[in-house]
Amino acid sequence: MSRWSVLPASLDHRVRQLVVQLRRLKDHSGLSLAALAARTPYSKSSWERYLNGKKLPPAGAVEVLARLCGADVTRLLALHEVAAQAWSAGRPVPEARPQASRAPSAPSVPSAPSAPSAPSAPSVPPGRGGPPPQAAGDEASHPAVATVPAAGRQVPLGPLVLGALAVLVVALPVLRPWQDQLAAGRGTGAAMAGRDLGAAPEFTPRPGETFDCRLQRRDGALYAGHSRTGTAVLGSGAEGWDVVEAQCLLRRHGYDPGVVDGVVGGRTLRAVKRLQAGSGLPTDGIVDPATWKALRR
């Protein structure tokens, strides 16, 4: 079996789950990266980046590896879709660059008050409604035009400040309950809703740490206070709040997952398989949407 390098700590846990599953398929196949490249449309260097978390593999690479190893293609593509959403959400949006054509007009601003003909300049009103000047020389010949953007940028400050204050007033009552629950411990209610929306802190398990299960039924479904997901795909080695939720529900149904630590280990896999067997589902040990339905009953 290959000796894999440690995945980056900054990698989202949903992307980590996908990479772990692809690594496991590659190890079971017995193929080297060179042999994998020879039997697929993707190069050796591409597979090295995919399997080490440096680049999100495309859906085509996931599908071809699943078919090559005889794995469930649909299940892996569902896992890839979740990972792709997490990967896209984690990429920063580049800031818009300022227009360089406006820079030459800055020196003409101080000279505006000394221009005696500015009030009677006939070219100022048409310039406001028409397209911006194409050359710096055009702006220099009409000093009054250069002062309009400078004054215009100050006008929206009042509405912007008021709008920001309005957003804070609306958001504070929503954020406060989550902050109170976080300070008191890992709770339910608003904290659980925050995890679904990605507002909760990142799951960082510590050695020996376990979590409480606070079971309650809402709208006919069973919840343990850590996640409301019904679509997360959890396989061996997965970790996170979704795993904590699944472990609590497994224990509630009488299938002992071991300690509730948020990591899918051997005992949790065996408990999932027993639940799946009792529910008439494929006993593969992977928590998928069908398994979540059985857990929520």
Side-chain angles (χ1 to χ4, degrees), residues 92-136:
V93 179
E95 296 183 359
R97 295 184 177 179
Q99 295 183 359
S101 61
R102 295 295 180 184
S105 63
S108 64
V109 175
S111 62
S114 62
S117 60
S120 60
S123 60
V124 174
R128 293 178 184 173
Q134 300 298 322

Short mmCIF file of all heavy atoms in Angstrom, two decimals, residues 92-136:
data_model
loop_
_atom_site.label_atom_id
_atom_site.label_comp_id
_atom_site.label_asym_id
_atom_site.label_seq_id
_atom_site.Cartn_x
_atom_site.Cartn_y
_atom_site.Cartn_z
N PRO A 92 -11.08 32.76 -2.71
CA PRO A 92 -11.40 34.20 -2.59
C PRO A 92 -11.75 34.83 -3.93
O PRO A 92 -11.25 34.42 -4.97
CB PRO A 92 -10.10 34.79 -2.03
CG PRO A 92 -9.04 33.84 -2.51
CD PRO A 92 -9.69 32.46 -2.52
N VAL A 93 -12.64 35.82 -3.86
CA VAL A 93 -13.03 36.54 -5.07
C VAL A 93 -12.05 37.69 -5.29
O VAL A 93 -11.82 38.51 -4.39
CB VAL A 93 -14.45 37.12 -4.92
CG1 VAL A 93 -14.84 37.90 -6.16
CG2 VAL A 93 -15.42 35.99 -4.67
N PRO A 94 -11.39 37.79 -6.46
CA PRO A 94 -10.40 38.87 -6.67
C PRO A 94 -11.05 40.24 -6.66
O PRO A 94 -12.19 40.40 -7.10
CB PRO A 94 -9.82 38.54 -8.06
CG PRO A 94 -10.87 37.73 -8.74
CD PRO A 94 -11.56 36.95 -7.64
N GLU A 95 -10.33 41.20 -6.11
CA GLU A 95 -10.85 42.56 -6.06
C GLU A 95 -10.74 43.22 -7.44
O GLU A 95 -9.85 42.92 -8.22
CB GLU A 95 -10.07 43.38 -5.05
CG GLU A 95 -10.21 42.86 -3.62
CD GLU A 95 -9.47 43.74 -2.65
OE1 GLU A 95 -8.84 44.71 -3.12
OE2 GLU A 95 -9.52 43.46 -1.45
N ALA A 96 -11.68 44.13 -7.71
CA ALA A 96 -11.65 44.84 -8.99
C ALA A 96 -10.50 45.85 -8.99
O ALA A 96 -10.25 46.53 -8.00
CB ALA A 96 -12.97 45.57 -9.22
N ARG A 97 -9.79 45.90 -10.10
CA ARG A 97 -8.66 46.82 -10.22
C ARG A 97 -9.17 48.23 -10.57
O ARG A 97 -10.09 48.39 -11.36
CB ARG A 97 -7.71 46.35 -11.31
CG ARG A 97 -7.03 45.03 -10.97
CD ARG A 97 -6.04 44.68 -12.06
NE ARG A 97 -5.33 43.46 -11.74
CZ ARG A 97 -4.41 42.92 -12.52
NH1 ARG A 97 -4.10 43.51 -13.69
NH2 ARG A 97 -3.81 41.80 -12.16
N PRO A 98 -8.59 49.26 -9.97
CA PRO A 98 -9.01 50.63 -10.34
C PRO A 98 -8.61 50.95 -11.76
O PRO A 98 -7.63 50.43 -12.28
CB PRO A 98 -8.25 51.51 -9.34
CG PRO A 98 -7.07 50.67 -8.93
CD PRO A 98 -7.55 49.24 -8.97
N GLN A 99 -9.38 51.83 -12.42
CA GLN A 99 -9.09 52.18 -13.80
C GLN A 99 -7.89 53.11 -13.86
O GLN A 99 -7.85 54.15 -13.20
CB GLN A 99 -10.30 52.88 -14.42
CG GLN A 99 -11.51 51.97 -14.55
CD GLN A 99 -12.66 52.67 -15.21
OE1 GLN A 99 -12.56 53.84 -15.57
NE2 GLN A 99 -13.75 51.96 -15.40
N ALA A 100 -6.89 52.71 -14.64
CA ALA A 100 -5.66 53.50 -14.73
C ALA A 100 -5.87 54.82 -15.47
O ALA A 100 -5.11 55.76 -15.32
CB ALA A 100 -4.56 52.69 -15.41
N SER A 101 -6.92 54.89 -16.31
CA SER A 101 -7.12 56.08 -17.13
C SER A 101 -7.51 57.29 -16.30
O SER A 101 -7.46 58.41 -16.77
CB SER A 101 -8.18 55.82 -18.19
OG SER A 101 -9.41 55.50 -17.59
N ARG A 102 -7.96 57.06 -15.02
CA ARG A 102 -8.36 58.18 -14.18
C ARG A 102 -7.20 58.83 -13.45
O ARG A 102 -7.33 59.89 -12.89
CB ARG A 102 -9.40 57.72 -13.16
CG ARG A 102 -10.70 57.24 -13.78
CD ARG A 102 -11.41 58.36 -14.45
NE ARG A 102 -12.66 57.94 -15.06
CZ ARG A 102 -13.43 58.70 -15.77
NH1 ARG A 102 -13.08 59.96 -16.00
NH2 ARG A 102 -14.55 58.27 -16.29
N ALA A 103 -6.03 58.13 -13.38
CA ALA A 103 -4.91 58.64 -12.61
C ALA A 103 -4.40 59.99 -13.12
O ALA A 103 -4.10 60.88 -12.34
CB ALA A 103 -3.78 57.62 -12.60
N PRO A 104 -4.27 60.21 -14.43
CA PRO A 104 -3.72 61.49 -14.89
C PRO A 104 -4.58 62.69 -14.55
O PRO A 104 -4.10 63.82 -14.59
CB PRO A 104 -3.63 61.32 -16.41
CG PRO A 104 -3.58 59.85 -16.62
CD PRO A 104 -4.43 59.28 -15.55
N SER A 105 -5.86 62.47 -14.19
CA SER A 105 -6.72 63.62 -13.92
C SER A 105 -6.52 64.19 -12.54
O SER A 105 -7.04 65.23 -12.22
CB SER A 105 -8.19 63.21 -14.09
OG SER A 105 -8.52 62.23 -13.14
N ALA A 106 -5.78 63.47 -11.64
CA ALA A 106 -5.62 63.94 -10.26
C ALA A 106 -4.93 65.28 -10.18
O ALA A 106 -5.33 66.15 -9.40
CB ALA A 106 -4.86 62.89 -9.45
N PRO A 107 -3.83 65.54 -10.92
CA PRO A 107 -3.16 66.86 -10.79
C PRO A 107 -4.04 68.03 -11.18
O PRO A 107 -3.76 69.15 -10.80
CB PRO A 107 -1.97 66.74 -11.75
CG PRO A 107 -1.73 65.26 -11.87
CD PRO A 107 -3.09 64.66 -11.80
N SER A 108 -5.09 67.81 -11.96
CA SER A 108 -5.90 68.93 -12.41
C SER A 108 -6.90 69.39 -11.38
O SER A 108 -7.52 70.42 -11.54
CB SER A 108 -6.64 68.56 -13.70
OG SER A 108 -7.55 67.51 -13.44
N VAL A 109 -7.09 68.61 -10.26
CA VAL A 109 -8.09 68.98 -9.26
C VAL A 109 -7.73 70.26 -8.55
O VAL A 109 -8.56 71.16 -8.38
CB VAL A 109 -8.29 67.82 -8.26
CG1 VAL A 109 -9.23 68.24 -7.14
CG2 VAL A 109 -8.83 66.60 -9.00
N PRO A 110 -6.48 70.45 -8.05
CA PRO A 110 -6.17 71.70 -7.34
C PRO A 110 -6.31 72.94 -8.22
O PRO A 110 -6.54 74.03 -7.72
CB PRO A 110 -4.71 71.51 -6.91
CG PRO A 110 -4.52 70.03 -6.90
CD PRO A 110 -5.37 69.53 -8.02
N SER A 111 -6.14 72.82 -9.54
CA SER A 111 -6.21 73.99 -10.40
C SER A 111 -7.63 74.41 -10.74
O SER A 111 -7.84 75.40 -11.40
CB SER A 111 -5.46 73.71 -11.72
OG SER A 111 -6.08 72.64 -12.41
N ALA A 112 -8.64 73.60 -10.29
CA ALA A 112 -10.03 73.91 -10.63
C ALA A 112 -10.47 75.26 -10.09
O ALA A 112 -11.13 76.04 -10.78
CB ALA A 112 -10.95 72.81 -10.15
N PRO A 113 -10.17 75.63 -8.80
CA PRO A 113 -10.66 76.92 -8.30
C PRO A 113 -10.07 78.10 -9.06
O PRO A 113 -10.67 79.17 -9.10
CB PRO A 113 -10.21 76.93 -6.83
CG PRO A 113 -10.04 75.48 -6.50
CD PRO A 113 -9.54 74.86 -7.77
N SER A 114 -8.87 77.98 -9.66
CA SER A 114 -8.24 79.11 -10.33
C SER A 114 -8.70 79.31 -11.77
O SER A 114 -8.24 80.19 -12.45
CB SER A 114 -6.70 78.94 -10.33
OG SER A 114 -6.37 77.77 -11.05
N ALA A 115 -9.58 78.44 -12.25
CA ALA A 115 -10.04 78.58 -13.63
C ALA A 115 -11.21 79.55 -13.66
O ALA A 115 -12.30 79.24 -13.18
CB ALA A 115 -10.47 77.24 -14.19
N PRO A 116 -11.05 80.74 -14.22
CA PRO A 116 -12.14 81.74 -14.19
C PRO A 116 -13.28 81.38 -15.10
O PRO A 116 -14.39 81.84 -14.92
CB PRO A 116 -11.43 83.02 -14.66
CG PRO A 116 -10.27 82.53 -15.48
CD PRO A 116 -9.83 81.25 -14.85
N SER A 117 -13.04 80.57 -16.12
CA SER A 117 -14.10 80.29 -17.08
C SER A 117 -14.90 79.04 -16.75
O SER A 117 -15.68 78.58 -17.55
CB SER A 117 -13.49 80.12 -18.48
OG SER A 117 -12.56 79.04 -18.48
N ALA A 118 -14.66 78.41 -15.57
CA ALA A 118 -15.34 77.16 -15.23
C ALA A 118 -16.85 77.30 -15.19
O ALA A 118 -17.57 76.44 -15.69
CB ALA A 118 -14.82 76.62 -13.89
N PRO A 119 -17.45 78.35 -14.58
CA PRO A 119 -18.92 78.41 -14.52
C PRO A 119 -19.56 78.49 -15.89
O PRO A 119 -20.70 78.08 -16.09
CB PRO A 119 -19.20 79.67 -13.70
CG PRO A 119 -17.94 79.89 -12.91
CD PRO A 119 -16.83 79.44 -13.83
N SER A 120 -18.86 79.09 -16.90
CA SER A 120 -19.50 79.26 -18.20
C SER A 120 -19.06 78.23 -19.22
O SER A 120 -19.34 78.39 -20.39
CB SER A 120 -19.17 80.67 -18.73
OG SER A 120 -17.75 80.82 -18.87
N ALA A 121 -18.33 77.19 -18.76
CA ALA A 121 -17.85 76.19 -19.71
C ALA A 121 -19.02 75.40 -20.25
O ALA A 121 -19.74 74.77 -19.49
CB ALA A 121 -16.85 75.26 -19.05
N PRO A 122 -19.27 75.40 -21.56
CA PRO A 122 -20.45 74.72 -22.11
C PRO A 122 -20.28 73.22 -22.20
O PRO A 122 -21.23 72.52 -22.45
CB PRO A 122 -20.59 75.34 -23.50
CG PRO A 122 -19.17 75.74 -23.87
CD PRO A 122 -18.53 76.16 -22.60
N SER A 123 -19.03 72.71 -22.05
CA SER A 123 -18.83 71.27 -22.27
C SER A 123 -19.09 70.45 -21.03
O SER A 123 -19.04 69.24 -21.08
CB SER A 123 -17.39 71.01 -22.74
OG SER A 123 -16.46 71.46 -21.76
N VAL A 124 -19.34 71.02 -19.85
CA VAL A 124 -19.48 70.24 -18.63
C VAL A 124 -20.78 69.46 -18.61
O VAL A 124 -20.80 68.26 -18.35
CB VAL A 124 -19.38 71.16 -17.38
CG1 VAL A 124 -19.69 70.37 -16.12
CG2 VAL A 124 -17.98 71.77 -17.31
N PRO A 125 -21.97 70.05 -18.84
CA PRO A 125 -23.21 69.25 -18.77
C PRO A 125 -23.22 68.09 -19.74
O PRO A 125 -23.61 67.00 -19.38
CB PRO A 125 -24.31 70.29 -19.08
CG PRO A 125 -23.69 71.60 -18.73
CD PRO A 125 -22.25 71.49 -19.06
N PRO A 126 -22.81 68.25 -21.03
CA PRO A 126 -22.82 67.06 -21.89
C PRO A 126 -21.88 65.99 -21.39
O PRO A 126 -22.13 64.82 -21.56
CB PRO A 126 -22.38 67.60 -23.27
CG PRO A 126 -22.69 69.08 -23.22
CD PRO A 126 -22.47 69.48 -21.82
N GLY A 127 -20.75 66.34 -20.78
CA GLY A 127 -19.78 65.34 -20.32
C GLY A 127 -20.35 64.45 -19.24
O GLY A 127 -19.97 63.31 -19.08
N ARG A 128 -21.31 64.97 -18.43
CA ARG A 128 -21.87 64.15 -17.35
C ARG A 128 -22.76 63.06 -17.89
O ARG A 128 -22.82 61.97 -17.34
CB ARG A 128 -22.69 65.03 -16.39
CG ARG A 128 -21.83 66.02 -15.61
CD ARG A 128 -22.66 66.90 -14.74
NE ARG A 128 -21.89 67.90 -14.05
CZ ARG A 128 -22.40 68.86 -13.33
NH1 ARG A 128 -23.72 68.97 -13.20
NH2 ARG A 128 -21.62 69.75 -12.72
N GLY A 129 -23.47 63.32 -18.91
CA GLY A 129 -24.41 62.32 -19.41
C GLY A 129 -23.83 61.43 -20.46
O GLY A 129 -24.38 60.40 -20.79
N GLY A 130 -22.67 61.82 -21.08
CA GLY A 130 -22.10 61.05 -22.17
C GLY A 130 -21.06 60.07 -21.68
O GLY A 130 -20.86 59.88 -20.49
N PRO A 131 -20.34 59.42 -22.62
CA PRO A 131 -19.31 58.46 -22.24
C PRO A 131 -18.12 59.16 -21.63
O PRO A 131 -17.90 60.35 -21.85
CB PRO A 131 -18.94 57.80 -23.59
CG PRO A 131 -19.31 58.83 -24.62
CD PRO A 131 -20.50 59.54 -24.08
N PRO A 132 -17.27 58.47 -20.81
CA PRO A 132 -16.11 59.09 -20.18
C PRO A 132 -15.10 59.47 -21.23
O PRO A 132 -15.03 58.88 -22.31
CB PRO A 132 -15.57 57.97 -19.28
CG PRO A 132 -16.09 56.72 -19.88
CD PRO A 132 -17.40 57.08 -20.46
N PRO A 133 -14.25 60.50 -20.98
CA PRO A 133 -13.23 60.93 -21.96
C PRO A 133 -12.25 59.82 -22.22
O PRO A 133 -11.93 59.03 -21.35
CB PRO A 133 -12.56 62.12 -21.26
CG PRO A 133 -12.86 61.96 -19.80
CD PRO A 133 -14.20 61.29 -19.74
N GLN A 134 -11.71 59.75 -23.44
CA GLN A 134 -10.81 58.68 -23.86
C GLN A 134 -9.36 59.03 -23.66
O GLN A 134 -8.51 58.16 -23.72
CB GLN A 134 -11.05 58.37 -25.34
CG GLN A 134 -12.46 57.92 -25.65
CD GLN A 134 -12.81 56.64 -24.92
OE1 GLN A 134 -11.98 55.75 -24.78
NE2 GLN A 134 -14.03 56.54 -24.41
N ALA A 135 -9.03 60.28 -23.48
CA ALA A 135 -7.63 60.67 -23.33
C ALA A 135 -7.50 61.61 -22.16
O ALA A 135 -8.41 62.35 -21.81
CB ALA A 135 -7.12 61.34 -24.62
N ALA A 136 -6.27 61.61 -21.53
CA ALA A 136 -6.04 62.48 -20.38
C ALA A 136 -6.08 63.94 -20.79
O ALA A 136 -6.42 64.81 -20.00
CB ALA A 136 -4.68 62.15 -19.75
#
